[in-house]
Amino acid sequence: MDALQAIVLGVVQGLTEFLPISSSAHLLIVPRLFGWSDPGAAFTAVIQLGTMLAVVIYFWRDITRIFWTWLRSLWTPELRGEMDARMGWYIGLGTIPLGLLGVVFKDAIEGPARNLWLNATVLIVFGLLLLLAEQVGRQRSAIESLTLRDGLIIGGFQALALMPGASRSGSTITGGLFLGFTREAAARYSFLLSIPAVVLSGLFEMRDIGAGGGPDLVPTLIATVVSFAVGYASIAWLLRYITRHSMMIFVTYRVFIGAFLLTLLSLGVITAQ
């Protein structure tokens, strides 16, 4: 992988990590369309650390408040009823489904699941699921009304993002909408919930960088830095956008891209693996 490819993939990661359109699918699709080699699951997981740094910096006040309130609540019973203390537990426990399934299905995720037939189909199906959630969800609840049950259910939706094409943010926002949360509340919790999952995944996969013909350290670092800068801007834009608009633009995009890929695959223009 050269520097230009690394920059392009960093931009793709930064743009698609927080939009509900699947960054992992796009990091698989873009190289295939340009005739580049597959960067691999390890590269995808590691450059997500750049976008996670963007989340940490954007929400650093919330994260700091949640962490210290949760930590103090361990020995101060009066704090255990506060939202920040409870949020710490919700984020931690909500990460467990993704972590367990990620370990169990690691080989499938890094191998057979990186098939474009599957990715294209999942893009469409989960796009329509997002549309359904948008239509049936009451969208009245603020993030302050989140309960442990809600946190675990949304964590279960996050685990669905192990399928490339599902979208981690798309899955968790879908879960939040089904539970009656506003689009902004669902997105905010989605961003916070992503931090431990993506950081742990990126650190775990870092050992495989440069192995098996994947990109070396330098292009991986370039892509990570670019994904941070673009990702930070994407967070700010998405939170502003969804306060005034529906998710329809993302649903339409997912269905179009999925159908486009299925057409290319059917015609033999691109290969599935």
Side-chain angles (χ1 to χ4, degrees), residues 178-196:
F178 272 127
L179 290 171
F181 288 92
T182 64
R183 289 188 293 268
E184 184 178 8
R188 282 184 173 273
Y189 183 66
S190 170
F191 295 155
L192 293 172
L193 184 63
S194 71
I195 296 173

Side-chain angles (χ1 to χ4, degrees), residues 78-152:
E78 305 83 63
L79 294 176
R80 293 172 188 170
E82 292 194 10
M83 184 61 209
D84 287 332
R86 290 186 287 118
M87 183 67 77
W89 286 111
Y90 300 162
I91 292 171
L93 295 174
T95 303
I96 292 175
L98 179 70
L100 289 178
L101 292 177
V103 172
V104 172
F105 295 105
K106 179 179 183 297
D107 292 339
I109 294 166
E110 296 181 355
R114 298 179 67 79
N115 182 294
L116 281 187
W117 283 107
L118 175 62
N119 278 250
T121 302
V122 171
L123 275 168
I124 295 172
V125 171
F126 276 75
L128 296 177
L129 191 63
L130 176 60
L131 176 61
L132 179 62
E134 171 95 1
Q135 296 297 319
V136 305
R138 292 178 293 110
Q139 298 187 38
R140 296 175 184 171
S141 301
I143 196 170
E144 290 77 15
S145 64
L146 193 75
T147 65
L148 176 59
R149 169 183 168 273
D150 297 331
L152 291 175

